[in-house]
Amino acid sequence: MSTSSTQSKHINGRINSLQSNGHSSRDGSRPRKRIVSSNDAYLYALRVAYLTYLLQPKARRMQHTPAPQPPLQRSSTSINDLMKDFSLIRDNKSTRFPHGFMSELEKRLTGVLMGKERKPEYNDATVKRTFAAFFNAFTEQSFKKRMEKDRRVEDLVLIFFSNATKELQKGKSPADDSWKLMADRHLALFVRLVGLVLRDNDWARDRPELAGRLATLESKLLAHDQDLSSTPTRNGASSGTTVEVVVPLTYEVKDMPLVQVVARMFGLTNAQVQSDINKYRPVWTEKAALQDLKSYQTYLNLNSRRTLRRDDFDLDEAYDNWRKAEAHDLSQMMLAIIQANPELAKSTPGSNLPQFHRQMSSPESVNSGYPDALLKMSDHPERSSYVIEQPVDMTTINSGNHCPGTSDSDDTAFTFIPPDARSYYRFIVAEAFAHDLNDTALQPSEATTETPATKLLSKQSMELLNELGLRWRIPPISRIILFLDAVREKFLDQDITLDTLDAVFNFIKDQPSEVKKTQTFINPLMSNRTKWLLADTALYQQILSSLHEALMRDLYNTMQQCYESKAPNIGPIMYVLEHHIYQDPSFSKSPGEMDAFAGALYEGLQQKSHAIYRSYLEQHVPQDQQSWEFFNVIELGKAVTTLAQKIQKRYKKNREVMGVNPLTALVETILPLYAEDAQDIVTRILELAQIKEEEVPIEDGFQLYAELTDIRRVHGEVLPNAPFPFSIEATLADFVWRWIAMTESAITDWVDQAIKQDNFRVRTDSPQQIPTEEQRHSVSVIDIFSSFNQAIDRIVQLNWDDDLQYAKFMTALAKIVGTGIARYCDVLEQRFSKEMDRLSPEQELAASQTKQEKWLQLAKDTWNNKEKIEPFQFFPESFVKLNNIDFAAQQLDKLEHEVNVDACAAVIQRHALPVAQRQKKINNYVFTIKIVEAEDLKACDMNGSSDPYVVLGDEYQKRLAKTRIVYRNLNPRWDESVDITTQGPLNIIATVWDWDAMGDHDCVGRASLKLDPSHFGDFMPREYWLDLDSQGRILLRVSMEGERDDIQFYFGKAFRTLKRTERDMTRTITDKLSAYIHYCLSRRTLRNLTSKGISMSTVSNYFNRNRPQQPTQAPSEAEVANALKRLFAYFDDNFAIMNQTLTSTAMVMVMTRIWKEVLVTIEVLLVPPLSDKPSQQRQLNQQELDIVFKWLQYLFDFFHAVDEETGEANGVPLGVLRSPKYFDITTLNFFYFEPTDALIRTSERMASATAARQQSQRNRLSAPASLASPAFGGAAGLVGLPSTRRSKSIMLSRNLGTMKKAKEEKWKEAQADPNDDMILRILRMRPEAERYLKDRSRQKERLAAAAAADMIVRQSLMAGGGRMMGNLPRR
């Protein structure tokens, strides 16, 4: 365990001044203050509150005086006359009530009787009595039923008038007829109610005539009084007038609001306060208040210390402005007292009363600049003791030069003003603030999105403080500063929160609500500090300083908890500091103090980080080392990472607090500790596992790597310039190699299991469904590449941060992928070969015959000249295997791009050792052996031919490779390649066998070759003509590559394996068709077409085959085409079978291969193979040559498959059809019948041109041009002559792109360098050219040897600095 994890860091001693145990205190920030007794403060506050009661505007009340009774006006129209408008049109439905009206009217009448009617005229008791009498008659069932039936207006009106008359007559004398006018009015009210019911239910619109007649009736009833609710005299009420009288003072506390505020503030009852008022009532009078103002005015004129003087201000201008405003305020206050008690004006010396000036107003009035919040409660005249209606000129009021007979130090100079007004005001402000904070009845302000709910001063407290400030002549800014000083004291005592402190600052600045909190807005009085008192300036600076010191302590203590799960919010502290302390011009920040605080805070956070890490270590890592696991390191890392991410997110917007980054302090402390401990723990775990001979699970290592990289990422983000303490990759790379080794051991089983579970059928839902391109490969190839991708993704997901190691991991995985692909190709090719080599039913029948029966059948077939050519029945599973190989190549190409093979190789190359320090010895070598062709083989069959194939084996008789069978050919060409890996020299044996359908296969001949890596130090391909031990020879082309631990090499090897498997499968399919191709495109078919039967001339021609034949009648175009009809039908049948299963790519590939077979077959018809010996093959005549070229054109068109309607080619592309061999065949037509001498001269010119090109290229030190492969024997063939053309390299096969590019270059090279091979093959059919053939063979051997030697010298110069290298080239 690291020592840093077990020791604590000590914080510098200055931190101790910023910390305290238990409850934090801010006593160090408390200023000195004058001591004021609570009783004195109470008495002075009480007398001012009592004076406010005396001076407040006198309350007034209204008294009612009855008015004389007006004479009654009586109606002169009878009810019958009024109802004539309705009775004359009885049957008109437009004047009847609508259906449902009676129920609605009943509801409305019920509302009138219950007092729910909104109209005021229906609330009179007499009206309700009349309506109640009608309601009883209205609700009678018989009347109600009749009204619902008839719905006539006059019936309803008359019944109401009848009941109203009866009700109003009750209690009246016969001579009293006043009730008649009242009856008309009540009937008008009833008619109005009926109209309201019609309008409210939207019936008036349907019956406009009814509504109009009701309105007319109401107007007639109100002819003598149009308004039923304008005066209280309606419905019999009395009227009168009111007069205003003054309410006398009661001198009781219950009528004194501010006195009650003082009582509550100082915790006294109303009785106690009433006693004090009664006691001092003779002294606390309006006259005493006026005398105080006069005395204060005298002291002001005398520049006494009892008032502010010039030296209390910083500027003379400020003093002059204050003095001017003070004189104006004193005049206003004196006038307010005289207005309250006019008797005092009589005792005031002077000859004139005060004069009112409407336009007179001072900009420095009594409340100028005072915050609106502090004055808004004093704007009501009924509460103010000094507010007058107009500005007054008090210059006419003479102070009488009254000078009290006391000195400046006499504390009894004033009645209402205390001796030290500032101290008393400060005391009372504190008391008011404390009382309102603790007052549960005081509701806090409503919280907004910008400000929280707070409790400051109540409305009554602010009114009291306003009165005190005004009576004691305390300037407005002094009141603000003293209030803030009282708040400061509460904050230092922790009686208020930061939200309250913030609210106080906003309160004194009177910040409008529409101004955003992020902006600075300061009250004009706060901003114009030139008018401040010096004492206020000093006190304000002291307040800011002490608050700053206290806030910094709170900030430090809060930041010490910033790493906890629920850390306290520092936002309120920072907001108050930034918006109310630092932005205030009166506060000055000391850089030294801020730096000291930042240093102390940083050290404190480091100590907290160290303590947190120790707690994590104790929680997640056991004390016993034997119990340590990677899980402990992972959990410890998760705890560290989680904490760092939480802190990073917590301080995402504000990364630094007072210049300190909490995340940096945490990471700089905790990550080095974790890295050191993690390295020690991991090392110890691995050591203990090695001692116990156990292995730590690989997944544990991967999880640990993921956790450690997360921590390193956080470390890099926060500390970009500091390296991580140790290399994670170097410590945990062994886990990746173990995982790779485990994958390598399992790859073969993965492939075998995938093949075992595959039925190799197209993936369709039903057999009748035509498969799409994506459904034509089976599941095994999908499964193995899924395994490959999972293996690679497992490493990719680690996000390994060492490019070189990552490239090596990918290289190892590329080798594993290559192994898996090789295994897959090997198994599929074995199964494919087994399916393709199965016996036909006829062959199975023949196999069951006896030996004698077989010979008899063979003799019979030979005598009848019968050749059995039967179509091969392909299995769909075989084609699916070919599709799988093609799909595997596409997936491997995709995987090669995803892995970014070239980038990985470049990384390894960039970190490779210098050439002089590289390992010189190559352990593994890859020999690529191409079995090209053989000639002059021994005939093993009775028909004078053989069916040869080649088997390669080593000296221990282990089979290495086997070629396909070439039927009935003594000069076969295989062009098949095989890769052999060896660590040293290896002897191989090439055995040519003759395939027989019956009995054992016959040995045609053997030849051996030693593969020695030392002979291939130039890595150039070599060609060997090996003489067989019986007859004939075989051509092998051999090249060697060092098997390098290189990702490009492994991918190239895998691609070449796939392509060779694909080529071998395609060739096997082609071989099943080639027999019929050879049968249809044979000389026998050509002979039958030209001779149309056997005659003596044909027999004579057989014995004179070297003599040019006489032309016969040429066959017609139809006959030439019909000769290929069976071949085309055969192709169509087989292509239809293939098209059902093969993909489009595989189909084109198979057709391309068949096209090549067709070209080879036609080439064999025309010329013999290339050799230095004359051939027994007869040259075709002109007629036969024309037929062959017509066949070539027919076949070209067939394979191109152009749609006659659309013109679209559906077969093999033109670029593939027009191959170099196709052009070689087409050029034969120009030389085929040339005389021998002309052909020899043409060959010599081509040879000279080729030699000149090679010499020119050697002079330019460039690669030599390609020559034809040495096709001749002799001494060069025995030693193996190097070829000047590089064979197909593994590195050129690392993806589909490089393979396609190499093929295009090969074709361009073949077309750019014409040679005389075809001419030499024609000359083989001319006996007179035998000598030239041998001379030309020796010439080609010399040219090839010179070119190869030049290539070796040039490669040696590039590899060894100008001297020949005896050893193998360095890697």
Side-chain angles (χ1 to χ4, degrees), residues 21-35:
N21 297 325
H23 186 69
S24 301
S25 175
R26 308 186 181 102
D27 290 341
S29 304
R30 194 183 305 279
R32 294 180 180 180
K33 60 184 179 179
R34 179 186 178 97
I35 299 177

mmCIF file of all heavy atoms in Angstrom, residues 21-35:
data_model
loop_
_atom_site.group_PDB
_atom_site.id
_atom_site.type_symbol
_atom_site.label_atom_id
_atom_site.label_comp_id
_atom_site.label_asym_id
_atom_site.label_seq_id
_atom_site.Cartn_x
_atom_site.Cartn_y
_atom_site.Cartn_z
ATOM 1 N N ASN A 21 -14.989 24.776 15.534
ATOM 2 C CA ASN A 21 -15.641 23.524 15.875
ATOM 3 C C ASN A 21 -17.093 23.796 16.259
ATOM 4 O O ASN A 21 -17.403 24.750 16.949
ATOM 5 C CB ASN A 21 -14.912 22.841 17.038
ATOM 6 C CG ASN A 21 -13.493 22.463 16.651
ATOM 7 O OD1 ASN A 21 -13.273 22.094 15.490
ATOM 8 N ND2 ASN A 21 -12.566 22.557 17.571
ATOM 9 N N GLY A 22 -17.950 22.882 15.873
ATOM 10 C CA GLY A 22 -19.352 23.027 16.236
ATOM 11 C C GLY A 22 -20.013 24.166 15.501
ATOM 12 O O GLY A 22 -19.868 24.338 14.313
ATOM 13 N N HIS A 23 -20.744 24.997 16.230
ATOM 14 C CA HIS A 23 -21.523 26.090 15.637
ATOM 15 C C HIS A 23 -20.602 27.217 15.217
ATOM 16 O O HIS A 23 -19.828 27.737 16.013
ATOM 17 C CB HIS A 23 -22.533 26.593 16.669
ATOM 18 C CG HIS A 23 -23.468 27.615 16.103
ATOM 19 N ND1 HIS A 23 -24.431 27.302 15.167
ATOM 20 C CD2 HIS A 23 -23.578 28.938 16.367
ATOM 21 C CE1 HIS A 23 -25.114 28.390 14.874
ATOM 22 N NE2 HIS A 23 -24.605 29.384 15.590
ATOM 23 N N SER A 24 -20.674 27.589 13.964
ATOM 24 C CA SER A 24 -19.795 28.646 13.462
ATOM 25 C C SER A 24 -20.190 29.983 14.059
ATOM 26 O O SER A 24 -21.358 30.262 14.321
ATOM 27 C CB SER A 24 -19.874 28.707 11.938
ATOM 28 O OG SER A 24 -19.493 27.469 11.387
ATOM 29 N N SER A 25 -19.241 30.837 14.284
ATOM 30 C CA SER A 25 -19.482 32.162 14.853
ATOM 31 C C SER A 25 -18.828 33.202 13.990
ATOM 32 O O SER A 25 -17.815 32.962 13.345
ATOM 33 C CB SER A 25 -18.928 32.231 16.286
ATOM 34 O OG SER A 25 -19.062 33.541 16.793
ATOM 35 N N ARG A 26 -19.451 34.388 13.975
ATOM 36 C CA ARG A 26 -18.890 35.499 13.205
ATOM 37 C C ARG A 26 -18.529 36.656 14.120
ATOM 38 O O ARG A 26 -18.572 37.813 13.732
ATOM 39 C CB ARG A 26 -19.906 35.973 12.157
ATOM 40 C CG ARG A 26 -20.456 34.861 11.261
ATOM 41 C CD ARG A 26 -21.321 35.444 10.179
ATOM 42 N NE ARG A 26 -21.875 34.415 9.323
ATOM 43 C CZ ARG A 26 -23.108 33.963 9.377
ATOM 44 N NH1 ARG A 26 -23.925 34.435 10.320
ATOM 45 N NH2 ARG A 26 -23.551 33.057 8.551
ATOM 46 N N ASP A 27 -18.202 36.362 15.410
ATOM 47 C CA ASP A 27 -17.944 37.435 16.373
ATOM 48 C C ASP A 27 -16.770 38.295 15.973
ATOM 49 O O ASP A 27 -16.672 39.465 16.332
ATOM 50 C CB ASP A 27 -17.688 36.836 17.765
ATOM 51 C CG ASP A 27 -18.967 36.236 18.346
ATOM 52 O OD1 ASP A 27 -20.048 36.607 17.846
ATOM 53 O OD2 ASP A 27 -18.863 35.398 19.256
ATOM 54 N N GLY A 28 -15.843 37.724 15.228
ATOM 55 C CA GLY A 28 -14.684 38.522 14.834
ATOM 56 C C GLY A 28 -15.018 39.648 13.909
ATOM 57 O O GLY A 28 -14.211 40.540 13.691
ATOM 58 N N SER A 29 -16.203 39.641 13.324
ATOM 59 C CA SER A 29 -16.606 40.688 12.389
ATOM 60 C C SER A 29 -17.507 41.728 13.028
ATOM 61 O O SER A 29 -18.059 42.575 12.341
ATOM 62 C CB SER A 29 -17.341 40.052 11.198
ATOM 63 O OG SER A 29 -16.542 39.075 10.592
ATOM 64 N N ARG A 30 -17.706 41.673 14.363
ATOM 65 C CA ARG A 30 -18.670 42.557 15.017
ATOM 66 C C ARG A 30 -18.030 43.910 15.337
ATOM 67 O O ARG A 30 -16.963 43.979 15.938
ATOM 68 C CB ARG A 30 -19.167 41.898 16.304
ATOM 69 C CG ARG A 30 -20.392 42.557 16.896
ATOM 70 C CD ARG A 30 -20.749 41.868 18.213
ATOM 71 N NE ARG A 30 -20.921 40.447 18.022
ATOM 72 C CZ ARG A 30 -22.027 39.884 17.551
ATOM 73 N NH1 ARG A 30 -23.041 40.653 17.211
ATOM 74 N NH2 ARG A 30 -22.122 38.576 17.414
ATOM 75 N N PRO A 31 -18.669 45.068 14.943
ATOM 76 C CA PRO A 31 -18.129 46.398 15.256
ATOM 77 C C PRO A 31 -18.554 46.846 16.656
ATOM 78 O O PRO A 31 -19.440 46.276 17.270
ATOM 79 C CB PRO A 31 -18.761 47.282 14.186
ATOM 80 C CG PRO A 31 -20.092 46.633 13.950
ATOM 81 C CD PRO A 31 -19.877 45.154 14.121
ATOM 82 N N ARG A 32 -17.918 47.880 17.113
ATOM 83 C CA ARG A 32 -18.295 48.479 18.390
ATOM 84 C C ARG A 32 -19.526 49.365 18.215
ATOM 85 O O ARG A 32 -19.734 49.951 17.172
ATOM 86 C CB ARG A 32 -17.152 49.332 18.964
ATOM 87 C CG ARG A 32 -15.931 48.512 19.345
ATOM 88 C CD ARG A 32 -14.850 49.428 19.904
ATOM 89 N NE ARG A 32 -13.663 48.658 20.284
ATOM 90 C CZ ARG A 32 -12.563 49.212 20.794
ATOM 91 N NH1 ARG A 32 -12.504 50.533 20.963
ATOM 92 N NH2 ARG A 32 -11.532 48.451 21.111
ATOM 93 N N LYS A 33 -20.375 49.500 19.277
ATOM 94 C CA LYS A 33 -21.564 50.336 19.201
ATOM 95 C C LYS A 33 -21.836 50.970 20.567
ATOM 96 O O LYS A 33 -21.416 50.473 21.608
ATOM 97 C CB LYS A 33 -22.764 49.509 18.749
ATOM 98 C CG LYS A 33 -23.092 48.346 19.672
ATOM 99 C CD LYS A 33 -24.223 47.512 19.117
ATOM 100 C CE LYS A 33 -24.534 46.341 20.047
ATOM 101 N NZ LYS A 33 -25.638 45.535 19.531
ATOM 102 N N ARG A 34 -22.572 52.075 20.527
ATOM 103 C CA ARG A 34 -22.931 52.788 21.752
ATOM 104 C C ARG A 34 -24.021 52.010 22.471
ATOM 105 O O ARG A 34 -24.972 51.541 21.869
ATOM 106 C CB ARG A 34 -23.436 54.203 21.414
ATOM 107 C CG ARG A 34 -23.861 55.031 22.636
ATOM 108 C CD ARG A 34 -24.482 56.340 22.185
ATOM 109 N NE ARG A 34 -24.932 57.133 23.311
ATOM 110 C CZ ARG A 34 -24.222 58.115 23.856
ATOM 111 N NH1 ARG A 34 -23.026 58.411 23.357
ATOM 112 N NH2 ARG A 34 -24.695 58.798 24.876
ATOM 113 N N ILE A 35 -23.918 51.902 23.799
ATOM 114 C CA ILE A 35 -24.891 51.160 24.594
ATOM 115 C C ILE A 35 -26.084 52.058 24.893
ATOM 116 O O ILE A 35 -25.953 53.170 25.404
ATOM 117 C CB ILE A 35 -24.262 50.651 25.897
ATOM 118 C CG1 ILE A 35 -23.093 49.699 25.579
ATOM 119 C CG2 ILE A 35 -25.303 49.957 26.749
ATOM 120 C CD1 ILE A 35 -22.366 49.208 26.807
#
